Amino acid sequence: MGENQATIPLEKICDVVTEWVNSVATLVQPEHIHWCDGSMEEKRIIESQMIARGELIKLNQETFPDCFLARSHPNDVARTEHQTFVCTRDKELAGSNNNWMSPDSAHELMRGLFSGCMQGRTLYVIPYRLGPLSSPYARCGVEITDSPYVVLNMRIMTRMGTDALRRITIDGKFVKGLHSTGDLNSERRYIIHYPEETLVESFGSGYGGNALLAKKCHALRIASWQAREEGWLAEHMLIMGVQNPAGEVRYIAAAFPSACGKTNLAMLTPPTSMPGWKVFTVGDDIAWLHVGDDGRLWAINPEAGYFGVVPGTNRDTNKNAFDMIHAGTIFTNVALTADDEPWWQGRKKNQPIKDWMGNDYVDGAVAAHANSRFTVSASRNPVQSAESNNPMGVPISAIVFGGRRAALAPLVCEAFDWDHGVLMGASLASETTAAATGTTGIVRRDPMAMKPFCGYNLSDYWRHWLKIGRNLKSPPKLFHVNWFRRDTKGHYLWPGFGENLRVIQWMLDRSENRAAATASAIGWMPRVADLNLQGLELEASIMEQLLSVNQSEWLQEIVELREYFKQQDRFPAELELQLQSIETRLVSNNQ
Ligand code: GTP
Ligand code: SPV
Ligand code: MN
């Protein structure tokens, strides 16, 4: 496909896109229109224009070459889920998990907001491809935006530019994304999806998932809709390769809610006490999963870069990320030091003088915003997998679900079969984080880490998952993990980060049928002796606690899950059956 693509003359390829750009331009009335080609020259021009206007700060070029700092409006620092809508003709299709408006009312509302909104501004046309070149699973989109910050970020996060336009001509279709920062009035902020029109409209925000429309809006909400129609899955998952000392490489996909550890796990540095182990990153946030001809599940990462959480990143927690973000990185909403270095909580070096809003830093105040982020190309990752650009993706041996749970959920647990694993995913809950606006630290249900990103009714989504399982001859094993269990003083019981590889080793060994486990009421679990804990100094009593299943707490969880699932119309009978089995086992196992 690559060769055919290159032979199409550029002047022939833009018709479908040009038509749409022209109609948008009539509505938004920009001063200029710029078609992004993704070139280095274009990057430099946009950077210098933004620097001249004070929208971008050049960081210390000796210690952080080609790095910049951007500050978003203080009311615009995270995704705003209450202003995010899925607008389907039939409300039931969007499900109670999504905010809904009729497509007609949404179009009317957005037309009003977009009307004349780019007067005096440049309209950027960003053609982009999601997925490796020549992959049959790759998809294209075009984002129209008036934000040069969005252009610079999309340039890193997607394969942006002329190649994407060529592919659109071959595909004959693309996802449309129209975005304007508007006046950044938080009352007039909407992120609207029309899956039936493969269209996204976003107004009033310039931040992250609200504005980089290829990411959550296209690659998850619209893509999940398409995936259901076409028989695949679009998931909020990292993809990692793990090589054991024997040189065998296996791949894992893991769904954790926002700011719950995907980037960190995907780039994990093995502990020194696990010599010979290696980890390679395929993706850190989104996976597109297809049933292969061989009956296995295969995954590609649609993205080309990382938009990762900065706070907490250092040599001890995530050395690969720490090294990676010392060049070619856009920092958003971090603090600044006297010598123009970025600063964040947990950086362990230097001191801030300006906080994330650009105000003088006062001791004890918040320096970097909790949801401050780095944008960096995946090619800068020292452990990027060579398979990242494989058009067919990588075969998945294990699917992992996990969240932040101070109590209840054990360190690791394996589903008895696919349907049980789907229930595990559907039951996922986590303490809320700063990745979305609202109160943090409250446990909420976040099925498959997709609550904010599933573009359709969750019950239909679970049915789709069950169906995918039926189509897999060699399904991956499914697991639930919890790195975030705490003691009564609030300290994490498990050291996390690199040490998580110990749990991964057990999961992969299970998928090869070479690790022991015991059956608990909630799934297969390792005994302490079944885990490789060599070189890890952790009291036996803590390990016991991490692997314990408290019967009364779990019975209470079943009650709460029933209550939650009752709110989902069309809840699949197969999952109700799974829930009943757990309950029966809890009562009879007496554990
Ligand atoms: P999104 O990009 O929002 O989807 O998040 P993510 O799932 O990629 O989360 P990320 O890896 O960026 O982690 C978020 C926060 O959790 C960071 O502050 C990390 O330092 C912290 N974290 C990650 N892994 C662990 C772990 O194993 N243990 C503990 N205690 N903290 C962790
Ligand atoms: C998340 O919130 O899950 C993110 C960041 O990965 S954002 O792109 O803002 O959605
Ligand atoms: Mn995410």
Side-chain angles (χ1 to χ4, degrees):
M1 198 175 287
E3 267 180 25
N4 292 346
Q5 201 169 313
T7 58
I8 298 174
L10 251 188
E11 62 275 11
K12 284 218 171 154
I13 65 177
C14 305
D15 286 5
V16 274
V17 184
T18 311
E19 221 171 275
W20 178 57
V21 171
N22 288 344
S23 73
V24 168
T26 309
L27 175 68
V28 301
Q29 298 164 25
E31 187 161 320
H32 303 288
I33 297 184
H34 175 83
W35 288 69
C36 298
D37 60 12
S39 68
M40 199 45 105
E41 191 194 354
E42 176 181 81
K43 162 179 145 66
R44 298 234 167 85
I45 292 171
I46 293 175
E47 282 166 359
S48 47
Q49 289 170 345
M50 288 182 72
I51 290 168
R53 289 196 299 263
E55 295 165 9
L56 202 62
I57 295 167
K58 204 174 219 172
L59 293 169
N60 188 321
Q61 294 298 296
E62 260 158 51
T63 48
F64 286 85
D66 198 27
C67 289
F68 300 89
L69 166 63
R71 296 187 182 120
S72 68
H73 191 284
N75 78 17
D76 185 31
V77 293
R79 284 180 296 98
T80 45
E81 294 177 4
H82 62 291
Q83 290 161 319
T84 302
F85 290 75
V86 171
C87 301
T88 43
R89 270 170 301 197
D90 173 1
K91 186 177 178 187
E92 297 240 313
L93 290 182
S96 56
N97 44 301
N98 281 303
N99 299 312
W100 181 87
M101 249 186 268
S102 78
D104 286 347
S105 340
H107 276 303
E108 196 184 320
L109 168 77
M110 297 309 276
R111 212 175 297 119
L113 293 172
F114 281 124
S115 181
C117 73
M118 293 194 195
Q119 280 169 18
R121 301 186 189 183
T122 298
L123 177 160
Y124 297 93
V125 182
I126 310 173
Y128 63 87
R129 176 166 45 86
L130 297 176
L133 187 66
S134 79
S135 170
Y137 310 128
R139 298 290 167 108
C140 288
V142 176
E143 175 166 358
I144 291 178
T145 181
D146 54 10
S147 162
Y149 168 83
V150 166
V151 176
L152 293 182
N153 277 270
M154 288 280 287
R155 188 179 180 280
I156 297 172
M157 297 304 298
T158 70
R159 283 94 164 168
M160 176 246 260
T162 313
D163 267 357
L165 277 180
R166 293 202 162 96
R167 168 95 188 217
I168 288 171
T169 313
I170 293 169
D171 291 357
K173 59 182 182 191
F174 62 100
V175 171
K176 300 183 181 97
L178 171 54
H179 168 253
S180 171
T181 49
D183 52 6
L184 294 174
N185 177 344
S186 60
E187 306 287 308
R188 302 192 331 142
R189 180 171 294 159
Y190 293 97
I191 298 92
I192 307 270
H193 304 72
Y194 309 90
E196 288 143 330
E197 301 169 48
T198 53
L199 170 68
V200 181
E201 294 183 329
S202 165
F203 186 89
S205 165
Y207 199 68
N210 284 351
L212 310 176
L213 302 187
K215 201 171 175 49
K216 300 297 164 48
C217 300
H218 178 170
L220 287 179
R221 295 193 192 95
I222 299 287
S224 63
W225 177 283
Q226 296 175 321
R228 185 174 79 106
E229 285 181 340
E230 299 165 15
W232 50 286
L233 291 167
E235 297 297 326
H236 193 203
M237 288 179 177
L238 68 89
I239 309 163
M240 72 196 289
V242 183
Q243 185 177 323
N244 68 17
E248 298 166 331
V249 181
R250 297 288 181 266
Y251 295 91
I252 290 178
F256 308 153
S258 302
C260 290
K262 290 183 298 301
T263 305
N264 279 270
L265 192 69
M267 303 180 69
L268 174 154
T269 306
T272 48
S273 51
M274 291 182 75
W277 286 84
K278 287 186 180 147
V279 162
F280 305 103
T281 319
V282 179
D284 84 321
D285 197 49
I286 299 176
W288 286 356
L289 304 148
H290 289 82
V291 179
D293 294 339
D294 60 357
R296 289 192 291 174
L297 192 63
W298 290 73
I300 64 161
N301 171 15
E303 301 192 283
Y306 311 132
F307 183 65
V309 174
V310 182
T313 308
N314 60 49
R315 279 202 182 84
D316 302 325
T317 56
N318 189 348
K319 184 175 184 309
N320 291 321
F322 189 75
D323 292 346
M324 171 175 77
I325 61 178
H326 273 71
T329 301
I330 302 170
F331 289 88
T332 305
N333 293 343
V334 296
L336 193 64
T337 69
D339 47 0
D340 292 330
E341 289 192 345
W343 195 91
W344 57 88
Q345 291 81 312
R347 188 189 161 201
K348 293 191 173 173
K349 202 184 146 198
N350 221 330
Q351 285 302 318
I353 58 148
K354 297 277 184 203
D355 69 13
W356 62 276
M357 289 176 285
N359 298 324
D360 289 344
Y361 174 70
V362 236
D363 243 4
V366 176
H369 189 276
N371 191 37
S372 53
R373 299 255 168 182
F374 55 75
T375 319
V376 66
S377 166
S379 63
R380 281 211 37 83
N381 178 355
V383 295
Q384 189 195 17
S385 166
E387 294 299 305
S388 300
N389 287 313
N390 188 325
M392 300 315 287
V394 294
I396 298 300
S397 298
I399 288 181
V400 184
F401 300 109
R404 289 177 183 262
R405 295 298 298 261
L408 188 80
L411 182 61
V412 61
C413 178
E414 178 194 328
F416 289 121
D417 55 28
W418 182 270
D419 287 10
H420 179 210
V422 174
L423 180 76
M424 258 183 188
S427 310
L428 194 62
S430 188
E431 290 147 27
T432 49
T433 66
T437 54
T439 324
T440 59
I442 296 172
V443 175
R444 77 159 178 183
R445 295 284 158 201
D446 192 348
M448 280 82 172
M450 284 286 278
K451 157 74 186 74
F453 309 120
C454 185
Y456 62 100
N457 188 313
L458 276 177
S459 289
D460 295 340
Y461 171 67
W462 295 325
R463 277 175 211 282
H464 184 52
W465 261 85
L466 292 165
K467 198 165 138 199
I468 292 280
R470 311 281 178 272
N471 294 341
L472 289 166
K473 276 201 294 290
S474 314
K477 294 221 168 172
L478 297 114
F479 299 86
H480 185 281
V481 299
N482 180 18
W483 316 138
F484 298 95
R485 197 139 161 179
R486 299 189 202 213
D487 65 16
T488 46
K489 294 200 185 92
H491 301 132
Y492 292 120
L493 291 172
W494 176 250
F497 301 102
E499 307 296 345
N500 294 334
L501 185 57
R502 299 174 189 281
V503 178
I504 289 177
Q505 179 180 352
W506 182 77
M507 292 191 284
L508 285 178
D509 282 345
R510 287 292 298 166
S511 75
E512 310 268 335
N513 299 315
R514 60 187 184 203
T518 45
S520 81
I522 61 167
W524 292 109
M525 290 186 49
R527 287 155 303 185
V528 177
D530 298 325
L531 291 171
N532 171 7
L533 299 175
Q534 217 173 13
L536 177 71
E537 281 174 30
L538 206 60
E539 280 172 39
S541 65
I542 292 188
M543 275 318 301
E544 293 292 349
Q545 212 178 322
L546 281 164
L547 295 174
S548 65
V549 174
N550 180 301
Q551 186 201 27
S552 60
E553 282 175 15
W554 271 96
L555 281 170
Q556 179 56 30
E557 175 78 353
I558 301 290
V559 170
E560 286 169 26
L561 276 172
R562 280 241 158 73
E563 200 53 43
Y564 169 69
F565 290 140
K566 220 188 281 166
Q567 295 157 23
Q568 318 295 326
D569 41 303
R570 311 206 277 262
F571 183 65
E574 291 91 333
L575 296 188
E576 175 54 36
L577 213 64
Q578 290 295 330
L579 201 59
Q580 273 168 25
S581 309
I582 299 174
E583 193 175 30
T584 311
R585 286 192 299 263
L586 277 167
V587 175
S588 63
N589 277 14
N590 197 26
Q591 60 163 306

